[in-house]
Amino acid sequence: MTQIGGTWQNWGRSASVRPQRVERPRSPEGVQRAVVAAAAQGLRIKAVGAGHSFTGIAVAPDVLLELDELQGLSRVDEQRGRVTLLAGTRLHRIPALLAPYGLAMENLGDIDRQSIAGAISTGTHGTGAGFGGISTQVVGATLITAAGDFLTIDETQNTELLPAVALGLGALGILVDVTLQCVPAFVMHAIDQPAPLDDVLATLNDRVAASDHFEFYWFPHTEVALTKRQDRLPESAVRAPLPVVGKWVDETLLSNGIYRAVCAAGVVVPAITPAFSRLAVKLTGDREYTDHSHRVFTQHRNVRFREMEYALPVENVVPAFRAVQALIRKRGWRIEFPIEVRFAKSDDIWLSTAHGRESAYIAVHRYWRHDPRAYFDAVEQVMLEHGGRPHWGKLHSIGASELRGRYPRFDDFVALRDRMDPERRFGNRYLTRVLGE
């Protein structure tokens, strides 16, 4: 919740701040005025989107900018399939904005509550070995610099900055619009199916290669993987969406309603968790449907949780996953949330977790009323030992000294930040930790 004189909290309740003031600009020029005013008063200023990052990346100790009024399309280049969106536009609103032009976003994550600026600034990604994260769709942007100027980055102006600005952590300026390269609208055929975990791990490379988008979930205390296979089809393909009642049972009753109650009970009586996990894999994860791409990519989640996710070289994902399995058994933990494994194509964005390497992601979660530290800290060590890079918007503990060795362009990004924001007008405690003073 954000209010003047009140406390802002993120969705996961893992970060909060009481800013000196909150501003809600209604135009890019309003953002510019807010930055100029903050600089004149010697205050730091940060923009916040939907608050879906678990880290403190959006925490604004001085001036907090809510960009909820900056939503919608500002330009469409139909010939090239490019659209410019105001920075506060929520991902779940974008499909309807693109539909009249026969366009879609190439790839999405599994949650669509974020703003487009927040999603690219933290490295939001989906899955699919042939597809990058949302930042790889960025072909232009406009931001307000620390000096209070408009800075346009596209194929003709300041092009060399695009690999930094496309995933800038909010450290280089306040984004006011983002230009995306879209693709023709498409539908997807999806098969959700349980399979023996050992078989999935043994054949993982083949499974990833056989589908446009592949991922799997594993509930600890079970021997079953819930696999998700999705393949892209032309927009003209016949759709066979999930029945309304069946979808409600799966996604609202089981995955959110009953699951929330069990998670809450597990805080008090952890021993119930393994039995519920075994029941969950029997009741969910077995369905087939074809629908518009955004309806297949995303799902609705309202069970509050906290998350840590690491990107690994794809060849390290199975040994890392096995090490996490062994860790859970050794510690005797009762883990109520599944572990998620996804994939992404290599890219050249400076701070992308997939920079320069084909990547796999392992994400771990805990219900928000559990203390996740022991679990996350131990899993983090496994991820680091296997070449992991932490997701910028999800919980992790490492800082600039260790991150430097994991990103070939890390020092280039820091040097650009030094040039663009020497007074750290857009800084906060999190950015100091991950980028240095």
Side-chain angles (χ1 to χ4, degrees):
M1 177 180 179
T2 306
Q3 59 184 26
I4 295 175
T7 298
W8 174 87
Q9 290 182 309
N10 64 348
W11 181 85
R13 302 298 187 258
S14 54
S16 62
V17 68
R18 184 181 291 271
Q20 291 190 30
R21 69 171 181 261
V22 176
E23 298 191 21
R24 300 177 176 86
R26 303 184 66 179
S27 67
E29 292 75 18
V31 175
Q32 181 186 39
R33 289 192 292 271
V35 171
V36 170
Q41 297 167 356
L43 300 175
R44 291 170 292 175
I45 184 167
K46 298 290 294 179
V48 62
H52 261 271
S53 289
F54 297 90
T55 63
I57 193 168
V59 166
D62 296 340
V63 181
L64 185 152
L65 289 186
E66 283 192 342
L67 300 186
D68 290 354
E69 298 295 324
L70 268 68
Q71 296 202 51
L73 281 173
S74 62
R75 289 191 302 278
V76 178
D77 182 341
E78 292 190 65
Q79 184 174 2
R80 295 195 292 177
R82 294 182 173 184
V83 301
T84 300
L85 296 153
L86 292 173
T89 307
R90 298 296 194 261
L91 295 182
H92 65 86
R93 293 192 60 211
I94 295 177
L97 296 173
L98 300 184
Y101 306 98
L103 298 173
M105 290 180 65
E106 182 180 56
N107 199 9
L108 284 167
D110 56 3
I111 294 176
D112 61 3
R113 300 295 103 178
Q114 309 97 315
S115 68
I116 184 60
I120 70 167
S121 295
T122 56
T124 297
H125 63 92
T127 192
F131 301 90
I134 294 179
S135 292
T136 65
Q137 301 168 45
V138 177
V139 293
T142 306
L143 53 78
I144 308 299
T145 69
D149 299 321
F150 279 88
L151 177 66
T152 299
I153 300 101
D154 58 26
E155 61 189 358
T156 63
Q157 306 173 76
N158 305 300
T159 309
E160 73 283 0
L161 301 182
L162 189 61
V165 171
L167 204 170
L169 310 185
L172 304 177
I174 306 290
L175 286 165
V176 293
D177 67 41
V178 177
T179 301
L180 301 178
Q181 179 63 60
C182 297
V183 298
F186 61 101
V187 302
M188 295 216 297
H189 176 222
I191 300 175
D192 299 351
Q193 191 172 50
L197 177 64
D198 286 342
D199 180 63
V200 170
L201 295 177
T203 60
L204 189 57
N205 291 341
D206 292 338
R207 291 173 182 267
V208 172
S211 299
D212 290 327
H213 305 271
F214 175 82
E215 64 185 300
F216 76 88
Y217 295 80
W218 173 65
F219 276 90
H221 324 298
T222 77
E223 300 302 324
V224 177
L226 302 180
T227 67
K228 298 173 73 69
R229 293 177 282 154
Q230 300 162 357
D231 288 295
R232 303 157 82 95
L233 300 172
E235 185 184 25
S236 57
V238 175
R239 292 191 302 118
L242 289 168
V244 173
V245 173
K247 184 175 182 180
W248 180 85
V249 170
D250 271 1
E251 297 185 5
T252 302
L253 179 61
L254 293 176
S255 297
N256 285 306
I258 293 176
Y259 189 48
R260 182 192 295 107
V262 172
C263 286
V267 175
V268 181
V269 187
I272 72 170
T273 298
F276 176 76
S277 294
R278 290 189 287 270
L279 179 62
V281 299
K282 292 179 180 179
L283 296 179
T284 61
D286 195 358
R287 57 189 187 175
E288 182 174 359
Y289 57 103
T290 303
D291 209 343
H292 295 295
S293 57
H294 63 278
R295 293 179 182 169
V296 177
F297 279 134
T298 63
Q299 54 188 293
H300 182 60
R301 294 182 183 176
N302 58 27
V303 179
R304 206 177 302 276
F305 59 88
R306 292 170 180 170
E307 181 176 0
M308 181 177 72
E309 182 176 50
Y310 266 79
L312 307 167
V314 69
E315 63 272 16
N316 291 351
V317 66
V318 172
F321 185 90
R322 288 294 195 192
V324 173
Q325 274 189 297
L327 180 68
I328 293 171
R329 284 195 300 267
K330 180 180 178 181
R331 298 290 183 90
W333 286 322
R334 300 292 185 258
I335 304 299
E336 70 288 346
F337 260 86
I339 294 174
E340 182 180 16
V341 179
R342 296 184 287 173
F343 301 87
K345 182 181 179 181
S346 171
D347 64 54
D348 62 359
I349 295 171
W350 291 2
L351 292 186
S352 168
T353 50
H355 177 90
R357 68 191 195 190
E358 306 300 318
S359 297
Y361 295 83
I362 295 179
V364 295
H365 316 69
R366 292 231 71 175
Y367 183 56
W368 74 288
R369 293 191 180 278
H370 276 293
D371 184 344
R373 286 175 293 182
Y375 179 41
F376 284 9
D377 288 350
V379 171
E380 183 171 58
Q381 289 307 305
V382 172
M383 299 298 110
L384 295 174
E385 290 165 6
H386 288 83
R389 295 168 176 165
H391 189 301
W392 298 106
K394 298 178 184 179
L395 296 172
H396 66 93
S397 69
I398 64 175
S401 60
E402 186 155 12
L403 289 165
R404 176 169 285 106
R406 296 173 185 268
Y407 288 90
R409 302 301 297 271
F410 186 86
D411 285 332
D412 293 324
F413 185 90
V414 171
L416 180 62
R417 182 205 189 197
D418 289 343
R419 178 161 64 86
M420 293 186 66
D421 188 15
E423 297 181 347
R424 304 297 186 256
R425 189 67 55 210
F426 307 117
N428 61 14
R429 184 178 299 175
Y430 177 80
L431 292 182
T432 297
R433 173 162 70 86
V434 299
L435 297 177
E437 296 288 344

